[in-house]
């Protein structure tokens, strides 16, 4: 069957990159996905005190090393991850900026709560000082949730709308939906949309006290999304965003709501479950097994097994669904049979939200 043509009215992904436990950049991510390379490693206990002994960290990452000394003295880890990833999306392999930015370029960032470490450190410094205002003012900006998105805009001259969505494990898909609406309403001509999560000792303690048992990971993935009719010179569509949405579940079991949401996305196209080439959840551990079970029942084992396991990068929180979209694009790149086929990415947050995205992979 010939794949239907892309519709000019729908947004398409035309570029992406990631800073992940696989390393810096898109090629590192593609290679890591291809080899299913494990990323969990023991933590340096002097650098990372806390309850965890292992994690999936971006190897040797520091904002100063990646971005330079200027402007990074007070930059926290999640901001460094986001600013670095946006730079990679905007640049070619030689580091030259090839995507124009300005007033027509928006940015949407998904997060859990910004940097928990920065917020806690600032509160501790204020409490420990002789007077509460005797703090480092340069670090105050890191305590607000939209600090990373704001720094991305400043560093890369993104003068269009700038939004931060706190959506926990569904943040990446919620951000993609927000980007779609910005384009639908002509608020921007192109949108950088992604999600970021840092590893920190404070996050590890929060995870521990919440009862979490999964290995934490970190990183950031960003996508350049623009209308098919307005793609910039030199770029081609990688995937079309056919449908994206979210729902709230009120009981403790999200599976029925998730299945209903995915079926709704398929019927909106319309498409049948048999049209889906790859399907992936975003959670890890037992909850991830439940999410994958829903997808296996709907789309079969082959569609789920085409993508590597979700725990390769650890529990990456807000960045998890963005990493799964990047995984779909990575696998599709080396799978000619994926051209024109559909892919489903879902996300479940323990606080009562499920989300899904339906993509058509470019030919």
């Amino acid at each position: 069957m010939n794949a239907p043509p892309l519709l000019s009215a729908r947004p398409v992904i035309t570029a992406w990159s990631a800073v992940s436990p696989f390393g810096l950049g898109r090629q590192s991510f593609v290679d890591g996905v291809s080899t299913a390379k494990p990323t969990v490693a023991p933590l340096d206990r002097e650098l990372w005190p806390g309850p965890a002994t292992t994690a999936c960290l971006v190897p040797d990452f520091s904002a100063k090393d990646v971005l330079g000394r200027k402007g990074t003295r007070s930059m926290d880890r999640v901001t460094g991850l986001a600013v670095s990833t946006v730079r990679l999306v905007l640049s070619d392999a030689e580091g030259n900026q090839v995507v124009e930015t300005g007033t027509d370029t928006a940015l949407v960032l998904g997060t859990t709560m910004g940097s928990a470490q920065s917020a806690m450190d600032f509160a501790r410094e204020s409490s420990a000082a002789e007077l509460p205002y005797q703090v480092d003012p340069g670090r105050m900006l890191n305590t607000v949730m939209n600090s990373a998105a704001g720094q991305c805009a400043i560093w890369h001259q993104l003068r269009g709308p700038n939004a931060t969505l706190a959506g926990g494990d569904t943040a990446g898909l919620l951000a993609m939906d927000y980007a779609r609406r910005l384009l639908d309403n002509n608020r921007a001509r192109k949108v950088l949309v992604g999600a970021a999560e840092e590893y920190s000792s404070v996050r590890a303690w929060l995870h521990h006290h919440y009862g979490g048992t999964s290995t934490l990971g970190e990183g950031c993935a960003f996508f350049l999304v623009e209308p098919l009719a307005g793609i910039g010179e030199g770029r081609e569509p990688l995937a079309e965003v056919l449908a994206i949405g979210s729902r709230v579940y009120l009981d403790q079991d999200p599976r029925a709501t998730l299945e209903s949401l995915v079926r709704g996305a398929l019927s909106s196209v319309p498409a049948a479950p048999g049209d889906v080439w790859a399907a992936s959840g975003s959670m890890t551990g037992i909850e991830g097994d439940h999410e994958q079970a829903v997808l296996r029942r709907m789309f079969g084992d082959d569609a789920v097994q085409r993508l590597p396991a979700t725990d390769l990068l650890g529990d990456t929180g807000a960045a998890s669904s963005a990493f799964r979209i990047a995984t779909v694009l990575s696998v599709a790149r080396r799978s000619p049979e994926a051209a024109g086929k559909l892919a489903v990415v879902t996300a479940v947050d323990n606080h009562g939200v499920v989300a899904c995205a339906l993509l058509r992979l470019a030919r």
Side-chain angles (χ1 to χ4, degrees), residues 104-174:
D104 66 346
T105 309
L107 182 134
V108 185
L109 177 66
T111 180
T112 299
M113 57 174 296
S115 171
Q117 186 74 49
S118 293
M120 197 68 75
D121 287 348
F122 195 79
R124 183 185 300 111
E125 184 179 357
S126 178
S127 300
E130 184 174 347
L131 294 171
Y133 54 81
Q134 291 177 337
V135 294
D136 181 354
R139 298 190 181 280
M140 190 275 287
L141 291 177
N142 292 335
T143 66
V144 297
M145 201 165 53
N146 63 345
S147 175
Q151 285 294 311
C152 287
I154 293 168
W155 273 73
H156 302 298
Q157 306 298 306
L158 309 171
R159 299 193 181 94
N162 187 285
T164 299
L165 276 75
D169 288 0
T170 58
L173 298 186
L174 300 182

Side-chain angles (χ1 to χ4, degrees), residues 102 202 254:
V202 168

